[in-house]
Amino acid sequence: MATPKALILRAPGTNCDEETGFAFELAGAQAELVHINELVSGRKALADYQILVIPGGFTYGDDISAGRILANEVRLKIGSRVREFTDQGNLVLGICNGLQVMVKAGILPPLSSDGTQELTLAPNDSGKFECRWSYLRANESSPCVFTSGMGIMYLPVAHGEGKVVANPKVWDHTSIAVQYCDEVGNIEEGYPHNPNGSEQNIAGICDKSGRIFALMPHPERHVIGTQHPRWTREGLKESGDGLQMFINAVNWVKST
Amino acid sequence: MLRIEVWNKPGFPDPRAEGLKKDISDLGISSIEHIDISNVYSLTGDLSQDDADRICKEVLVDPIVQDYRSEMTTGTPKRVNGFSVEVAYNPGVMDPIEFSLKKAITDLGIDNVNTIKTGNKYVLRGNVSEDNLQSIVNKLLLNPVIQHVVTSEEHRDADAHDCEFELTTVDLIGISDDELESIGSHKLSLNLEEMKRIQQFFTSIGRNPTDAELETLAQTWSEHCGHKTFKGKITLGDTVVDNLLKSTIAKATKELDKPWCLSVFVDNAGVIDFDGEYALCFKVETHNHPSAIEPYGGASTGIGGVIRDPLGTGLGAKPILNTDVFCFGTPDYPHEKLPSGTLHPRRIFKGVRAGVADYGNRMGIPTSNGAILFDDRYVGNPLVYCGTLGIMPSNIAKAGQQKPGDKVVLLGGKTGRDGIHGVTFASVDLTQESEDTSASSVQIGNPITEKKMLDAILKARDQGLFRRITDCGGGGLSSAIGEMAEETGVKVYLEQVPLKYSGLSYTEIWISEAQERMIVAVPPEYVQQLLDLCEAENTESTVIGEFTDTKRLELFYDGQQVCDLEMDFLHNGTPQVKREAIWEQPQHPEPDFDSPENLTNDLLNILGSWNVCSKEWVIRQYDHEVQGGSVLKPLVGVNEDGPGDATIVTPRLGSKKGAIVSNGVNPKYGDIDPYWMAASAIDEALRQIIAVGGSLERVALLDNFSWGNPTKPDRLGALVRAAQACHDLSLSYGAPFISGKDSLFNEYEVEGETICIPHTLLISAVAVMQDVSKAVSMDAKKEGDLIYIVGLTYNELGGSHYYSNHGFIGNTVPKVDAVKSKKAMDALSSATQQGLIAACHDCSEGGIGVAAAEMAFAGNLGISIKLDFVPLGEKIDRNDYILFSESNSRFLVEVKPENKDAFEKAMDVTDFAIIGEVTGSGTLTVSGIDNRQVIWATVEELKEAWQKPLRW
């Protein structure tokens, strides 16, 4: 089939759009950076893409709370179009600020019947923005398309608000996709393995279909070998651990 | 008014409150039991209860972890149990949240909000005295320069008055020298000679100047913009230096004449070729005085300002890396010794760190290089250096040129009263009153405004919509447009400038240093396209004038001319400054203690000193991974916490070509001889590039002088010596300077006594690396590997950490033999190219001892070395001196046994020796020249000593 097309959503303060585009291109997709204004105005249409990506950044400065303002803009201005896009069986990926936006916009998990949010990303327990590398384990029982078969991976986090706090009933319709762990996959580890204090060491979640997925760590920052923080002592690998996530997405689109 | 308070629910502790509690206990106040912090929002406008509910639920409150109260009120905050204080921004101070919140509320479809003010409410519980509470408020919660305690009747409604136009002229013709001097020194920072020149000029054209004309001249001729000292005529002994910059630093660049230097000393940043297709663009600036009085705002606008330098170079470079170097008083400086009007170094440090991190992180630029230095002479005058590396297509590396008829378009932020007189403020000493008199010079940054502008500019650049670009930095529109239009002339219509609030006079509009603004010269046929593009990127753009061919600076306000100056007088009218300099090397007492038998404690002390200790607390709060290009990070090693020497990035993802960035700075050597301080800084910056696997083939340097008052001959003498070293070393290493900046007048008065900062020259270096897969990190790699030292060790402990540890400065400052050093560096580069090096670390502060310890704990391996094997440049019969000498041009290198012969062959041209090996013992052991053990320490205890001080 034709090359899968990924729409990397830009908004004021988005800043991981280019490297996310690069990761998708490496994985064999065609990536296009599209400003939210272009979607709102109708100059660009979601229907022309198979993957919607909300990349990392500090949209609108993360003023008030991380991702809040873009979340409202997405919900109020293009919410129905995003729903249509997901209903049609396409993929959605949120990274870092993208997860914060998706959670607050009700894309993942959906808002409760009275419109309130059931999961949030609170400030890190350390009270600090943390830029460090974390081991992650993909949850084998999760239906997640992106992390399928991935096992343990090593990816950087860089955020100040990444602590997952959830109303337990959210797990009726949402699945834990990736969890912070140590180098051998133990998911009970505390700080700094769990860099933010997330409950159950949750690093990423997906919907029941596995097609809507978002995580705090940055898979796009580990797609080539030289990005690994210890490659000068452990040797240079051909690709980085995060690349498989993008390849999985591309392959899934190709196979459907 | 609608007043909304938002706080964390029980069970969700607010990390801000925890941090504050720790800061309070650092003040020595231990009786605070509990702190609650609420965000307070006050909105005016015609809002229904339904509107209020939606604003709370859909924008302000996170329902999972937060609770809130909203009420229509007349403004008096409620009484609560415990001590409660509410802090809000002063009128006119930029509040980024206000802008974002307005947008969010408009998105809800609610468009009848008039004003928004934000603040924080702190409720402190515990048995605390009134004095202690006041101390907490003044030292931690509030900076009166930008904030105030909300009492009642608040929030104060800011700024809203209209400005009646009134043309102001200043009577200069015919007035006495005394009167001239008084006008010049009041706010203008112009001396009598300059004022007389202005008087002469206006007398010759038969009219008095307007205030706008006088302000424009003051800004253009200020030390900050005009670099009077560096361009002046300086007498030092028998020699006269005519233009220090051109006769030293720039002269070396000219002589080197590297074909890969694309634009040097002429634009906002220096530019070198990267890979034929793209060019690298580099600039470092200082923002010292603003950071002294408002650390967060001063530092954030410092980084915001330097990001606009590459963006305003050529036709615009994309910023790809930030570097930050700070100099503060020591964090444990006694509160009671603090000069009045001065913030405590710990508070300055925390504020500066937060300002730089918040701005850089939001801009999406990795902050992956830097240094932090401490000396108590920085207490009243900290230094904040911010640098940005950018990349651009090499065919647009040179500054553009507008044509008459091109439109002047202002991009980015709105203009307010922020930062009025910033450049003249930077051109005088700080005094105790600085905090009061300079409040209007303080700016707060809004990174998202800058990010939007950056996105728009790069798009417009790629579509070829403008012919020239520059940034509005110090001096605001006055400097930006005044300099840009020098060759043509310009007309500017000041009433067109978008304002944050009404009430600014035409002069205030013209000289405001409001942040996040740039100027582009746009051909008339592209104006609409540019305005449309900016609108699509949510960035403001306004035509405010046009370039002419009159070579005059003409300003108008509502149709009336308020300035009409000849460009020639504005730019060339200033008299050349003449200054006297003297230089005499100070004589410090020589140490008179014997070498201790055991040096382990000395090593632990040096590792745990503020200057040497781990800066991980700072580094992790910077995003150093964004953009995905990082190859060698600031923290390296088996646990990713060792001190890397230089940082490497690949600006073009997928390409193996890299940029290496490093810095060298050691003001301690300047206390002995600024010449060797400068030479050492250059050597250090280059060593780091070599240590990570780079080469001297294509290295460019930046100089940033932070100095004392140059009208004092001894300060100036020191400056001349440092500049001469820059010339000499640049030539010897073949590394040209491509840009630089000076910040002079870094002195402050405490009770009548003047304290001058240590002369501080920061050298920043950028190198092109052909293949980043050859990079080497400093962490020890494998048991059994050999440890070599490259370079000779001399009895050079003057200004060293070891001497300082024993209370001495000494006089034997480290020197540089650049010819020898270059040979060694070239040999090492060739060895890394051949893959012969497993690890390499440069010897700097703390000499061999610290370098070996850092390699060991970064690799979590032992190292054992013998001082007897260290090749010496002169006779040294003391273990301590060999171990801690800070001689330049030295490296510790780890080599696998199988590469021994090949490595030694590659290093044949230089001095080197095997001094030990990597061991599996988990200890650092050093045996002395008498074969006695002088160091025995586990890597855990070494690392703990190094990490402990800044584990905040």
Side-chain angles (χ1 to χ4, degrees):
Chain A
M1 80 160 263
T3 308
K5 283 179 79 179
L7 182 155
I8 320 281
L9 185 68
R10 287 175 58 231
T14 302
N15 63 32
C16 303
D17 43 338
E18 291 192 15
E19 55 268 41
T20 305
F22 173 76
F24 269 105
E25 303 251 331
L26 263 190
Q30 186 192 331
E32 196 181 332
L33 313 183
V34 176
H35 198 282
I36 180 147
N37 289 348
E38 295 177 282
L39 286 182
V40 173
S41 70
R43 270 194 59 200
K44 301 271 176 179
L46 279 174
D48 295 332
Y49 306 84
Q50 296 83 44
I51 310 169
L52 166 65
V53 188
I54 308 183
F58 286 81
T59 46
Y60 297 102
D62 278 358
D63 296 334
I64 306 166
S65 81
R68 166 51 78 189
I69 297 175
L70 180 59
N72 276 5
E73 197 172 12
V74 167
R75 178 171 62 89
L76 296 164
K77 295 187 181 169
I78 55 169
S80 59
R81 283 178 266 172
V82 172
R83 210 165 309 118
E84 214 170 281
F85 181 79
T86 55
D87 288 350
Q88 283 164 355
N90 293 303
L91 299 181
V92 182
L93 170 64
I95 301 171
C96 196
N97 198 240
L99 170 60
Q100 293 161 336
V101 169
M102 283 165 67
V103 160
K104 290 170 188 177
I107 299 173
L108 175 74
L111 303 178
S112 73
S113 48
D114 67 345
T116 47
Q117 198 182 310
E118 301 206 65
L119 181 148
T120 198
L121 296 147
N124 297 347
D125 277 353
S126 67
K128 296 196 285 263
F129 180 95
E130 299 259 354
C131 179
R132 59 169 71 246
W133 283 67
S134 298
Y135 286 97
L136 301 169
R137 200 174 86 182
N139 178 8
E140 284 157 28
S141 60
S142 144
C144 184
V145 165
F146 294 84
T147 59
S148 160
M150 282 191 67
I152 297 172
M153 62 202 104
Y154 200 39
L155 301 179
V157 297
H159 60 249
E161 298 175 38
K163 177 185 176 175
V164 173
V165 182
N167 180 337
K169 63 179 191 223
V170 87
W171 305 120
D172 297 345
H173 49 76
T174 304
S175 159
I176 298 172
V178 279
Q179 286 161 294
Y180 301 109
C181 63
D182 63 11
E183 57 276 19
V184 294
N186 176 10
I187 54 164
E188 272 88 51
E189 290 289 333
Y191 184 83
H193 287 98
N194 175 344
N196 48 38
S198 274
E199 59 182 54
Q200 300 184 67
N201 277 26
I202 296 169
I205 53 177
C206 66
D207 73 333
K208 282 291 177 208
S209 77
R211 291 182 290 107
I212 307 178
F213 166 60
L215 74 172
M216 284 312 297
H218 286 274
E220 83 284 10
R221 295 185 187 179
H222 191 198
V223 293
I224 46 183
T226 50
Q227 291 166 332
H228 192 290
R230 297 190 307 266
W231 72 268
T232 52
R233 59 183 300 123
E234 294 174 3
L236 192 53
K237 288 187 193 155
E238 240 166 62
S239 65
D241 294 356
L243 183 60
Q244 191 59 42
M245 246 180 232
F246 301 94
I247 292 175
N248 282 346
V250 170
N251 287 346
W252 191 88
V253 172
K254 280 183 175 166
S255 69
T256 51
Chain B
M1 185 174 75
L2 173 65
R3 179 184 160 87
I4 302 162
E5 279 186 43
V6 184
W7 62 90
N8 275 29
K9 285 180 184 170
F12 297 101
D14 186 341
R16 290 178 304 174
E18 299 304 309
L20 179 58
K21 221 167 154 180
K22 199 167 167 294
D23 288 342
I24 291 173
S25 94
D26 286 344
L27 290 181
I29 302 169
S30 54
S31 48
I32 295 286
E33 288 153 17
H34 187 81
I35 300 171
D36 284 311
I37 304 179
S38 323
N39 304 328
V40 182
Y41 306 90
S42 306
L43 285 66
T44 61
D46 182 19
L47 294 165
S48 67
Q49 190 57 49
D50 184 48
D51 291 339
D53 287 347
R54 285 196 67 204
I55 290 169
C56 290
K57 286 189 177 143
E58 296 184 41
V59 180
L60 292 177
V61 183
D62 186 318
I64 315 247
V65 296
Q66 290 177 324
D67 227 330
Y68 72 101
R69 169 170 53 228
S70 81
E71 53 193 350
M72 300 292 181
T73 144
T74 52
T76 314
K78 280 211 166 140
R79 298 291 304 164
V80 289
N81 288 331
F83 172 78
S84 158
V85 60
E86 191 174 321
V87 174
Y89 283 123
N90 293 339
V93 172
M94 211 324 266
D95 177 5
I97 298 179
E98 183 188 323
F99 290 91
S100 300
L101 185 52
K102 224 167 215 168
K103 164 177 168 72
I105 293 174
T106 313
D107 281 350
L108 295 181
I110 300 170
D111 43 20
N112 35 2
V113 170
N114 292 336
T115 64
I116 297 175
K117 293 282 157 196
T118 72
N120 284 309
K121 189 171 105 179
Y122 303 87
V123 180
L124 283 66
R125 294 199 178 85
N127 184 17
V128 199
S129 69
E130 189 60 33
D131 275 3
N132 278 347
L133 286 172
Q134 276 319 311
S135 163
I136 292 170
V137 171
N138 294 331
K139 289 182 176 150
L140 296 173
L141 302 185
L142 173 84
N143 185 346
V145 173
I146 53 162
Q147 293 157 314
H148 62 277
V149 170
V150 179
T151 46
S152 59
E153 307 287 319
E154 299 260 9
H155 299 267
R156 280 190 248 171
D157 212 359
D159 329 309
H161 66 278
D162 286 330
C163 183
E164 290 285 315
F165 173 79
E166 195 185 339
L167 184 68
T168 311
T169 54
V170 181
D171 290 334
L172 287 192
I173 298 178
I175 65 169
S176 72
D177 284 5
D178 281 356
E179 287 169 293
L180 269 182
E181 196 163 18
S182 145
I183 295 173
S185 61
H186 180 69
K187 297 260 184 193
L188 295 175
S189 302
L190 289 171
N191 65 30
L192 179 61
E193 201 192 346
E194 290 159 338
M195 285 303 293
K196 282 174 95 159
R197 187 66 70 94
I198 294 172
Q199 185 186 42
Q200 223 172 47
F201 174 80
F202 282 97
T203 308
S204 77
I205 62 168
R207 67 169 174 88
N208 275 309
T210 67
D211 54 346
E213 287 170 331
L214 209 47
E215 293 278 7
T216 304
L217 288 163
Q219 296 208 326
T220 312
W221 292 5
S222 72
E223 185 68 56
H224 187 88
C225 298
H227 307 285
K228 295 191 262 208
T229 302
F230 268 84
K231 290 178 181 165
K233 202 172 256 183
I234 301 170
T235 312
L236 174 62
D238 301 336
T239 54
V240 177
V241 181
D242 188 355
N243 195 321
L244 186 58
L245 178 68
K246 281 198 176 148
S247 62
T248 59
I249 298 165
K251 183 164 170 246
T253 303
K254 206 168 173 191
E255 282 173 35
L256 288 169
D257 194 25
K258 299 285 186 189
W260 43 266
C261 283
L262 301 183
S263 172
V264 293
F265 294 112
V266 290
D267 210 338
N268 286 316
V271 191
I272 63 168
D273 178 60
F274 178 57
D275 61 0
E277 203 182 336
Y278 281 82
L280 295 173
C281 172
F282 199 18
K283 182 61 174 272
V284 175
E285 287 267 14
T286 48
H287 224 214
N288 302 335
H289 289 185
S291 303
I293 59 170
E294 210 311 270
Y296 183 88
S300 65
T301 52
I303 191 72
V306 79
I307 290 167
R308 292 193 300 277
D309 278 325
L311 189 58
T313 296
L315 290 185
K318 177 192 169 195
I320 56 169
L321 180 144
N322 287 338
T323 169
D324 298 290
V325 174
F326 309 141
C327 303
F328 303 123
T330 46
D332 46 8
Y333 193 82
H335 277 275
E336 60 278 11
K337 277 176 65 185
L338 206 60
S340 82
T342 304
L343 300 175
H344 191 269
R346 190 181 281 258
R347 185 170 181 191
I348 295 181
F349 183 3
K350 288 191 170 185
V352 166
R353 184 217 62 75
V356 166
D358 283 357
Y359 208 103
N361 290 352
R362 278 173 173 71
M363 287 300 293
I365 303 167
T367 299
S368 46
N369 180 259
I372 307 174
L373 294 91
F374 300 92
D375 186 301
D376 285 340
R377 286 169 288 172
Y378 296 120
V379 161
N381 193 137
L383 303 182
V384 174
Y385 295 92
C386 298
T388 301
L389 180 71
I391 189 164
M392 65 169 94
S394 35
N395 61 354
I396 55 158
K398 286 196 169 29
Q401 180 60 52
Q402 72 278 9
K403 292 190 174 157
D406 284 358
K407 299 293 176 189
V408 181
V409 180
L410 172 62
L411 302 176
K414 289 185 199 286
T415 299
R417 211 169 266 123
D418 10 15
I420 300 237
H421 289 128
V423 298
T424 44
F425 172 50
S427 305
V428 290
D429 295 353
L430 283 173
T431 63
Q432 281 176 45
E433 289 77 38
S434 292
E435 197 187 332
D436 307 323
T437 55
S438 328
S440 65
S441 300
V442 172
Q443 311 137 26
I444 306 277
N446 188 351
I448 293 312
T449 305
E450 182 137 313
K451 179 69 166 93
K452 289 187 289 193
M453 177 176 74
L454 164 70
D455 292 350
I457 286 172
L458 294 181
K459 281 194 174 244
R461 173 197 81 177
D462 292 343
Q463 294 177 23
L465 298 185
F466 54 84
R467 261 199 269 262
R468 191 168 178 184
I469 182 167
T470 198
D471 73 306
C472 290
L477 296 175
S478 162
S479 292
I481 299 177
E483 281 173 30
M484 200 165 173
E486 184 180 352
E487 312 294 323
T488 52
V490 72
K491 286 183 177 174
V492 181
Y493 309 98
L494 293 167
E495 75 284 352
Q496 299 295 320
V497 174
L499 302 180
K500 290 178 183 169
Y501 35 80
S502 60
L504 271 72
S505 74
Y506 59 89
T507 302
E508 288 176 313
I509 296 170
W510 181 237
I511 65 171
S512 161
E513 296 182 8
Q515 295 293 302
E516 290 100 21
R517 300 179 304 162
M518 297 197 68
I519 295 287
V520 283
V522 185
E525 62 271 28
Y526 294 144
V527 168
Q528 197 52 48
Q529 206 179 329
L530 178 78
L531 299 185
D532 291 347
L533 185 153
C534 288
E535 196 186 345
E537 294 285 332
N538 295 21
T539 209
E540 192 140 4
S541 59
T542 316
V543 177
I544 61 165
E546 70 252 342
F547 292 98
T548 62
D549 58 3
T550 60
K551 302 211 170 161
R552 303 188 78 80
L553 176 66
E554 298 177 78
L555 306 181
F556 300 86
Y557 188 85
D558 275 346
Q560 308 204 44
Q561 188 151 31
V562 296
C563 167
D564 183 13
L565 274 178
E566 284 170 28
M567 287 291 182
D568 186 46
F569 178 68
L570 178 59
H571 292 286
N572 306 313
T574 169
Q576 189 182 26
V577 162
K578 290 188 186 67
R579 289 201 169 133
E580 296 292 320
I582 50 169
W583 167 249
E584 245 175 86
Q585 181 162 340
Q587 286 304 310
H588 303 285
E590 279 297 334
D592 53 3
F593 62 91
D594 294 331
S595 179
E597 298 267 301
N598 188 319
L599 298 173
T600 308
N601 272 339
D602 281 291
L603 177 60
L604 292 171
N605 284 339
I606 296 173
L607 285 170
S609 65
W610 291 115
N611 283 303
V612 174
C613 75
S614 170
K615 307 300 184 300
E616 182 171 352
W617 176 77
V618 176
I619 296 167
R620 290 235 179 274
Q621 297 187 69
Y622 295 141
D623 189 343
H624 45 264
E625 300 283 355
V626 63
Q627 297 193 14
S630 117
V631 170
L632 207 58
K633 304 167 201 300
L635 296 167
V636 299
V638 64
N639 292 313
E640 295 154 38
D641 55 7
D645 283 320
T647 194
I648 307 178
V649 292
T650 47
R652 303 183 68 188
L653 290 176
S655 158
K656 285 202 156 178
K657 246 193 176 167
I660 310 175
V661 172
S662 70
N663 68 73
V665 53
N666 200 329
K668 284 181 192 295
Y669 303 154
D671 289 336
I672 302 171
D673 187 342
Y675 183 93
W676 293 114
M677 168 182 78
S680 298
I682 294 170
D683 193 74
E684 184 185 10
L686 297 177
R687 282 196 313 266
Q688 292 173 6
I689 284 173
I690 300 303
V692 299
S695 78
L696 294 179
E697 204 178 304
R698 190 172 294 191
V699 184
L701 304 175
L702 304 180
D703 61 87
N704 281 85
F705 292 86
S706 285
W707 231 253
N709 184 338
T711 62
K712 298 177 183 169
D714 61 320
R715 276 58 155 172
L716 191 56
L719 185 69
V720 172
R721 272 192 75 72
Q724 281 166 341
C726 289
H727 166 265
D728 298 350
L729 277 280
S730 168
L731 271 187
S732 308
Y733 280 116
F737 283 90
I738 56 168
S739 186
K741 199 74 189 262
D742 53 285
S743 161
L744 310 177
F745 299 96
N746 288 291
E747 305 200 2
Y748 57 104
E749 257 182 52
V750 182
E751 286 159 16
E753 195 194 339
T754 300
I755 298 177
C756 178
I757 61 154
H759 303 314
T760 310
L761 170 62
L762 169 67
I763 297 290
S764 308
V766 59
V768 175
M769 187 176 195
Q770 295 303 329
D771 178 0
V772 296
S773 72
K774 306 280 189 196
V776 173
S777 58
M778 52 69 70
D779 44 309
K781 300 293 187 305
K782 195 163 178 270
E783 182 182 351
D785 283 358
L786 306 168
I787 297 287
Y788 283 84
I789 186 165
V790 173
L792 294 176
T793 300
Y794 295 83
N795 186 350
E796 291 180 322
L797 288 103
S800 68
H801 276 69
Y802 181 68
Y803 272 8
S804 155
N805 203 20
H806 285 268
F808 291 93
I809 296 171
N811 302 290
T812 51
V813 67
K815 299 194 164 105
V816 180
D817 181 339
V819 174
K820 242 177 161 172
S821 175
K822 182 170 187 301
K823 261 190 197 163
M825 290 185 185
D826 287 343
L828 260 179
S829 295
S830 119
T832 31
Q833 278 309 301
Q834 297 168 56
L836 301 174
I837 292 177
C840 183
H841 195 23
D842 86 301
C843 295
S844 52
E845 290 101 334
I848 298 172
V850 165
E854 289 176 342
M855 286 178 83
F857 63 65
N860 201 21
L861 285 163
I863 285 182
S864 117
I865 56 179
K866 284 185 189 299
L867 296 182
D868 206 16
F869 297 160
V870 174
L872 305 177
E874 61 190 308
K875 185 173 163 20
I876 313 177
D877 53 11
R878 291 176 60 139
N879 289 322
D880 53 349
Y881 286 9
I882 298 175
L883 189 63
F884 297 123
S885 164
E886 296 185 5
S887 288
N888 286 300
S889 318
R890 296 179 306 156
F891 303 83
L892 291 189
V893 184
E894 177 184 338
V895 176
K896 297 193 178 312
E898 62 264 33
N899 291 328
K900 180 173 184 287
D901 292 346
F903 175 73
E904 291 183 1
K905 188 162 170 257
M907 298 307 293
D908 200 24
V909 293
T910 187
D911 299 295
F912 69 95
I914 297 181
I915 58 166
E917 61 175 0
V918 180
T919 70
S921 68
T923 58
L924 175 71
T925 56
V926 178
S927 61
I929 40 181
D930 42 7
N931 276 324
R932 232 172 8 87
Q933 196 162 66
V934 291
I935 300 261
W936 189 97
T938 64
V939 291
E940 287 83 14
E941 71 183 301
L942 294 167
K943 190 168 171 179
E944 176 61 19
W946 180 71
Q947 288 186 329
K948 199 172 167 225
L950 274 180
R951 196 183 279 138
W952 285 358

